Amino acid sequence: MEITINGQHRQLVGNPPEVGEELPHFKVFNGAGEKIKTRFLLGKVTLISVVPDITTSVCSLQTKRFNEAVDQFKDVRFLTVSTNLAETQQKWCAAEGVKKLELVSDHEQSFGYAMKLLIPDEDVLARSVWIIDADGKIVYRQIVSELTDEPDYDAALSALKKVTQA
């Protein structure tokens, strides 16, 4: 799959999974450096917001926007994934006052390769939003075609409402 960065074409490491497919196996790391595997995400609806670099403006906006939405969804896990180290993510959260959603690090690129979201030329992940049901099935995905654009928050949150009311 291909996206653009400031209009320049970039290739992802493959074709990301489609709606209806199972979430692939991967590992990421939380702020304490603990490994989180795919199986730990099962049992609860999860919104996964993927950003290239938490320290950039659009990634910051995206993460803050989903952080504001957390309170509307009591039984939903919200994760933001980036290739930034957990220490960088924690500093960003402290500076920006983001406390409601969890930032996880894909510095080993396990998530990026499993989800086919890694942009190898840049060593960052393609901006995207995923909703996973409690059984680990992908029920929503948006892969933003231009990396510097924000995702469609309204579409993602609307899809999340449908999943949680089903």
Side-chain angles (χ1 to χ4, degrees):
M1 180 175 196
E2 189 177 84
I3 64 159
T4 59
I5 302 175
N6 294 315
Q8 300 292 316
H9 294 275
R10 294 289 188 279
Q11 202 64 38
L12 304 184
V13 292
N15 292 315
E18 300 284 343
V19 169
E21 293 182 23
E22 294 293 317
L23 190 65
H25 295 282
F26 58 80
K27 65 180 179 195
V28 290
F29 297 87
N30 68 13
E34 300 164 332
K35 195 182 303 179
I36 299 173
K37 294 183 176 181
T38 305
R39 71 174 179 266
F40 297 125
L41 301 180
L42 303 180
K44 208 175 202 186
V45 172
T46 302
L47 182 141
I48 302 173
S49 171
V50 181
V51 298
D53 180 349
I54 194 63
T55 65
T56 62
S57 61
V58 177
C59 298
S60 186
L61 287 169
Q62 179 175 335
T63 304
K64 288 180 198 175
R65 178 66 177 89
F66 284 122
N67 184 63
E68 291 168 5
V70 169
D71 291 338
Q72 299 172 41
F73 302 95
K74 297 296 179 215
D75 293 322
V76 175
R77 178 181 287 121
F78 281 76
L79 289 180
T80 293
V81 180
S82 77
T83 55
N84 298 97
L85 293 171
E87 181 181 337
T88 302
Q89 293 176 337
Q90 296 310 306
K91 285 180 182 175
W92 179 89
C93 283
E96 298 294 336
V98 171
K99 297 177 178 149
K100 298 176 185 174
L101 54 78
E102 186 174 5
L103 270 72
V104 293
S105 173
D106 187 35
H107 66 272
E108 291 185 354
Q109 300 177 343
S110 169
F111 176 86
Y113 275 105
M115 295 289 286
K116 309 291 189 240
L117 292 171
L118 185 69
I119 306 167
D121 294 345
E122 311 291 330
D123 280 335
V124 296
L125 304 172
R127 184 179 315 284
S128 52
V129 179
W130 304 80
I131 299 173
I132 315 305
D133 72 12
D135 297 322
K137 187 165 53 164
I138 298 167
V139 295
Y140 175 87
R141 83 168 198 174
Q142 180 195 10
I143 300 166
V144 182
S145 58
E146 167 56 54
L147 194 73
T148 61
D149 290 344
E150 291 179 72
D152 185 340
Y153 304 112
D154 292 338
L157 295 173
S158 176
L160 188 56
K161 284 180 184 157
K162 287 179 188 168
V163 172
T164 57
Q165 293 171 353

